[in-house]
């Protein structure tokens, strides 16, 4: 029907596939080849939002997505507060669907290591709903992590404006919408040095870590 077809890759399905027990690695390799065959047959150009996505025929990497102006408006209002005013009333949070593959594996591991290394806890509020929620809560409780769980909420909700630091240690993202939104709202964002975060690392309020020690710092 169309003379020129552009495909945009914005989900790292290979990472989700490899996490499945037993057949994960096999499924990942099969899916990788299938993706290449289908996109070669149906797309004249492939745009990857980041290089976290597998190699594709006729590919280019460019972050062509953006954020709603609502998030930028929050950032502008925070910036325009009078000098000396406390811009943020809350500390650290993470927001994401409550499944292990969406970053909760990494959150739990990093907070465990931080607690063991520093002998003190770092409180984090976790927002998300999903099928792994109960298991995530049990693991966090087992390790004595100082976290609070809240149901999933729209990131532009006024309650979310008051957090100063957003952490997103997820390794399955291509480009995390929540990270872009937090940056737009003027928060500090802590992310790992990965291809999916390369675009975000160009912003001054993005803090990039390479090791768990740097995450703690």
């Amino acid at each position: 029907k169309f003379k020129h077809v552009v495909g945009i890759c914005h989900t790292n399905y290979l990472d989700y596939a490899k996490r499945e027990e037993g057949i994960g690695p096999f499924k990942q390799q099969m899916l990788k080849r299938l993706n290449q065959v289908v996109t070669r047959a149906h797309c004249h150009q492939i745009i990857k939002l980041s290089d976290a996505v597998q190699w594709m025929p006729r590919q280019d990497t460019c972050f062509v997505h953006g954020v709603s102006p609502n998030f930028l408006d929050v950032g502008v209002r925070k910036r325009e507060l009078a000098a000396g005013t406390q811009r943020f009333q809350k500390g650290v949070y993470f927001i994401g669907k409550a499944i292990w593959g969406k970053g909760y594996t990494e959150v739990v591991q990093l907070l465990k290591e931080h607690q063991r290394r520093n002998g003190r806890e770092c409180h984090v509020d976790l927002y998300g709903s999903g099928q792994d929620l109960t298991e995530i809560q049990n693991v966090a409780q087992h390790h004595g992590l100082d976290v609070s769980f809240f149901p999933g909420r729209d990131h532009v909700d006024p309650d979310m404006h008051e957090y100063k630091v957003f952490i997103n240690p997820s390794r399955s993202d291509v480009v995390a919408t929540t990270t872009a939104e937090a940056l737009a709202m003027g928060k500090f964002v802590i992310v790992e040095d990965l291809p999916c975060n390369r675009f975000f690392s160009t912003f001054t309020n993005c803090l990039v870590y390479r090791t768990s020690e740097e995450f703690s710092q």
Side-chain angles (χ1 to χ4, degrees):
K1 287 183 177 290
F2 301 98
K3 295 180 180 179
H4 190 76
V5 178
V6 178
I8 300 181
C9 301
H10 50 80
T11 303
N12 189 356
Y13 289 110
L14 296 190
D15 186 86
Y16 295 144
K18 76 177 181 182
R19 291 173 185 255
E20 294 188 22
E21 292 186 18
I23 64 169
F26 172 76
K27 189 173 182 179
Q28 180 191 31
Q29 290 304 314
M30 293 298 294
L31 182 60
K32 181 179 180 180
R33 289 168 174 75
L34 179 63
N35 289 343
Q36 292 169 348
V37 169
V38 172
T39 53
R40 188 187 295 276
H42 295 288
C43 298
H44 297 92
Q45 180 72 49
I46 291 291
I47 302 294
K48 304 194 305 181
L49 298 186
S50 81
D51 285 329
V53 179
Q54 69 176 86
W55 179 87
M56 293 285 194
R58 297 183 289 274
Q59 69 175 28
D60 228 332
T61 301
C62 184
F63 181 47
V64 296
H65 283 10
V67 298
S68 165
N70 294 334
F71 296 99
L72 294 167
D73 291 343
V74 173
V76 170
R77 291 197 299 271
K78 291 290 186 183
R79 187 184 64 203
E80 292 177 345
L81 290 174
T85 303
Q86 187 173 353
R87 289 175 173 165
F88 301 99
Q89 307 297 323
K90 300 179 181 179
V92 186
Y93 76 109
F94 171 72
I95 185 170
K97 186 177 181 181
I99 57 176
W100 286 112
K102 278 293 187 179
Y104 287 89
T105 301
E106 292 84 358
V107 168
V108 168
Q109 184 63 33
L110 287 167
L111 292 181
K112 278 170 50 184
E113 294 181 14
H114 175 83
Q115 184 172 301
R116 184 177 67 248
R117 183 182 303 111
N118 296 279
R120 57 188 174 85
E121 299 170 343
C122 173
H123 180 77
V124 179
D125 287 339
L126 304 174
Y127 288 86
S129 305
Q131 69 242 34
D132 293 335
L133 178 60
T134 300
E135 186 180 354
I136 294 168
Q137 290 173 325
N138 291 340
V139 171
Q141 184 179 22
H142 173 74
H143 292 290
L145 302 182
D146 185 13
V147 296
S148 298
F149 289 88
F150 300 93
R153 191 174 299 182
D154 194 314
H155 205 179
V156 81
D157 188 291
D159 285 345
M160 311 303 289
H161 300 179
E162 297 306 315
Y163 286 96
K164 184 175 184 177
V165 180
F166 174 74
I167 62 170
N168 189 1
S170 172
R171 293 177 174 176
S172 65
D173 289 318
V174 176
V175 170
T177 304
T178 50
T179 299
E181 293 166 349
L183 286 170
M185 287 191 279
K187 305 174 187 298
F188 284 106
V189 170
I190 301 176
V191 295
E192 190 173 359
D193 184 14
L194 297 170
C196 61
N197 295 318
R198 202 150 290 151
F199 172 76
F200 301 136
S201 67
T202 62
F203 293 87
T204 55
N205 53 326
C206 181
L207 307 177
V208 179
Y209 66 90
R210 294 161 188 81
T211 64
S212 63
E213 289 86 354
E214 289 186 2
F215 174 83
S216 292
Q217 291 168 10

